């Protein structure tokens, strides 16, 4: 399909080409920084079906969206995910389909996902210690995650990115073991600063382990690093390479170095609400349009209006910050 309209540019001049799609709010584990132990999931009928997601992506692609990432909840608990990946990879204008997963169900699926057209994969793993994994996720299964990571590598994903949430008083001891594991298997480790979207409302700025502190631990216990030469200013990650050639480490420093000024992302929740920021307090009901018989022009207009209303940036670091009602697992991180 040829682009028929102007690209999605907000009132601060930021073009938007990246759509993160949550395919479910359900999850097979219960990370303490994301979900409560007991959680009421959305009725399945409220979730967009694959045809609806594909239609939204077709319309979004005419507006300049060319990258999509499937997330959740845990996207691999949604049945037949490779079929959705096939559909989205075939949408004209979409050049990159990615997936963020906890990896528990990944090992038997990695090859199939790759063949379906999945380009990029990020797997979350916060610790190499199985006992600590059990405490952080309130479930067993760390060995399945590790098997999933190795299967992704085997299936030919390159790079395989491993995401760890960085929490003060929790993550410090995991930094070096995770880094050694990543170096041994040629994985790209990325630390994500803890964000205020946790179920227990335990977040406070003092609990964020900053990228600069992790860099110090890595330099002291693993190997020295230097920032990569050509950082993509639009990329949320700050990337560093080990000076000994041991690979790359990234930091999503949303708290200590917000990347709002170059944000190019929109989010579609599993129940079809468009959010122009992870921390938005307002949403646009795309599902109502889809199920109410709206034509593509109306859906495109809803995207434009959402982008036009985007604020300059989140205010985590100010007293004005208001936590959104939705938790991470229901927004799609
Ligand atoms: N279930 C998948 C997974 O865990 O990779 C995809 C969804 S999860 C919400 C996406 C990412 O958000 C994961 O890497 C997870 O570690 C991260 N995340 C969840 N809660 C977070 C929080 N409060 N602060 C920072 N990152 C968080
Ligand atoms: Fe599930 Fe991912 Fe949230 Fe952990 S971070 S509870 S794996 S959705």
């Amino acid at each position: 399909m040829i682009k028929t309209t102007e690209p999605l540019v907000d009132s601060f001049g930021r073009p938007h080409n990246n759509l993160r799609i949550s395919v479910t709010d359900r999850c097979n584990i219960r990370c303490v920084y994301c979900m409560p132990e007991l959680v009421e999931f959305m009725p399945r009928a409220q979730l967009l079906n694959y045809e609806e997601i594909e239609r939204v992506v077709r319309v979004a692609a005419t507006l300049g969206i060319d990258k999509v990432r499937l997330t959740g909840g845990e996207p691999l608990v949604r049945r037949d995910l490779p079929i959705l990946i096939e559909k989205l990879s075939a949408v004209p204008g979409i050049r990159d389909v990615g997936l963020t997963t906890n990896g528990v169900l990944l090992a038997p699926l990695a090859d199939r996902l790759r063949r379906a057209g999945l380009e990029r994969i990020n797997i979350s793993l916060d610790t190499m210690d199985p006992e600590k994994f059990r405490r952080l996720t309130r479930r067993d299964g760390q060995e399945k995650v590790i098997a999933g990571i190795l299967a992704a590598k085997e299936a030919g994903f390159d790079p395989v990115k491993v995401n760890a949430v960085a929490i003060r008083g929790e993550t410090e001891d995991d930094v070096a073991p995770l880094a050694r594991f990543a170096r041994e298997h040629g994985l790209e480790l990325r630390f994500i600063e803890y964000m205020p979207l946790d179920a227990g409302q335990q977040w406070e700025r003092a609990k964020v382990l900053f990228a600069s502190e992790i860099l110090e631990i890595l330099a002291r216990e693993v190997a020295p690093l230097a920032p990569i030469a050509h950082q993509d200013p639009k990329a949320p990650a700050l990337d560093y390479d080990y000076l000994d050639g041991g690979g790359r480490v990234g930091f999503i420093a949303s708290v200590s170095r917000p990347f709002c000024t170059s944000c190019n992302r929109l989010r579609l929740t599993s129940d079809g609400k468009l959010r122009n920021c992870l921390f938005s307090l307002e949403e646009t009901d795309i599902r109502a349009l889809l199920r109410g018989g709206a034509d593509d022009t109306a859906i495109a207009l809803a995207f434009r209006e959402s982008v036009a209303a985007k604020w300059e940036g989140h205010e985590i670091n100010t007293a004005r910050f208001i936590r959104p009602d939705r938790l991470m697992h229901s927004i799609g991180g």
Side-chain angles (χ1 to χ4, degrees):
M1 200 185 298
I2 297 162
K3 289 199 182 107
T4 51
T5 48
E6 293 298 306
L8 288 167
V9 180
D10 71 8
S11 58
F12 301 94
R14 296 172 293 198
H16 287 67
N17 71 323
N18 191 321
L19 179 64
R20 295 175 78 95
I21 302 171
S22 170
V23 295
T24 179
D25 61 332
R26 287 164 201 257
C27 188
N28 45 356
I29 59 177
R30 294 282 183 281
C31 304
V32 291
Y33 47 72
C34 177
M35 271 177 113
E37 169 66 91
L38 295 172
V39 51
E40 201 170 320
F41 294 118
M42 290 175 208
R44 283 185 215 277
Q46 287 189 15
L47 304 187
L48 296 190
N49 63 38
Y50 287 176
E51 286 66 35
E52 289 171 325
I53 295 174
E54 183 188 5
R55 179 162 173 225
V56 176
V57 170
R58 277 187 190 278
V59 173
T62 68
L63 303 173
I65 295 289
D66 58 9
K67 274 175 95 166
V68 296
R69 172 167 291 270
L70 303 180
T71 177
E74 172 47 38
L76 294 183
V77 304
R78 182 101 188 230
R79 191 177 304 166
D80 295 331
L81 197 75
I83 292 177
L84 179 64
I85 290 167
E86 267 161 21
K87 283 180 188 291
L88 300 187
S89 306
V91 170
I94 297 299
R95 58 179 180 86
D96 196 328
V97 179
L99 175 74
T100 301
T101 170
N102 65 29
V104 173
L105 299 173
L106 181 60
L109 272 173
D111 199 45
R112 170 88 180 85
L113 291 165
R114 181 104 184 113
R115 280 188 282 112
L118 189 67
E119 290 281 343
R120 290 175 303 127
I121 193 156
N122 292 34
I123 304 154
S124 303
L125 177 66
D126 297 319
T127 179
M128 296 307 295
D129 174 353
E131 278 303 316
K132 186 163 177 186
F133 180 93
R134 186 174 299 129
R135 178 166 62 76
L136 285 176
T137 67
R138 308 184 184 107
R139 296 288 185 275
D140 287 323
Q142 192 233 31
E143 74 292 349
K144 292 196 181 118
V145 179
I146 290 176
I149 291 171
L150 300 180
K153 189 83 191 157
E154 188 68 18
F157 289 100
D158 189 21
V160 171
K161 294 190 181 175
V162 173
N163 291 351
V165 178
I167 305 176
R168 185 178 303 284
E170 192 72 82
T171 309
E172 291 86 340
D173 292 347
D174 297 307
V175 169
L178 283 168
R180 290 191 195 104
F181 170 68
R183 281 161 62 93
E184 184 185 339
H185 295 283
L187 313 164
E188 203 171 307
L189 182 60
R190 285 150 43 111
F191 291 95
I192 308 175
E193 288 178 354
Y194 181 29
M195 290 184 281
L197 292 164
D198 55 313
Q201 305 228 350
Q202 294 297 307
W203 187 90
E204 47 182 303
R205 202 170 188 278
K207 290 192 181 148
V208 182
L209 182 64
F210 295 133
S212 54
E213 300 170 272
I214 297 174
L215 272 168
E216 278 171 27
I217 300 175
L218 288 170
R220 194 173 59 238
E221 297 184 27
V222 183
L225 297 120
I228 63 165
H230 302 289
Q231 296 269 359
D232 173 357
K234 284 206 167 53
L238 275 173
D239 288 326
Y240 285 73
D241 281 338
Y242 288 108
L243 295 177
D244 67 0
R248 183 161 293 182
V249 181
F251 298 91
I252 314 280
S254 334
V255 181
S256 68
R257 180 193 159 273
F259 39 87
C260 304
T261 51
S262 60
C263 179
N264 59 3
R265 295 168 175 207
L266 296 170
R267 293 184 148 80
L268 186 68
T269 65
S270 54
D271 57 338
K273 307 292 181 339
L274 186 64
R275 297 173 65 87
N276 56 25
C277 175
L278 193 50
F279 299 98
S280 297
L281 300 174
E282 283 167 16
E283 304 181 327
T284 304
D285 194 348
I286 301 291
R287 188 187 65 195
L289 293 172
L290 291 166
R291 297 188 183 173
D295 62 12
D296 289 355
T297 309
I299 295 170
L301 185 63
F303 265 77
R304 282 197 185 290
E305 287 176 351
S306 173
V307 168
K310 182 156 170 157
W311 51 28
E312 194 172 6
H314 70 61
E315 299 201 312
I316 293 178
N317 295 310
T318 75
R320 290 186 300 275
F321 179 69
I322 303 172
R323 293 173 64 112
D325 288 338
R326 278 190 193 254
L327 304 176
M328 190 64 131
H329 76 100
S330 123
I331 298 173

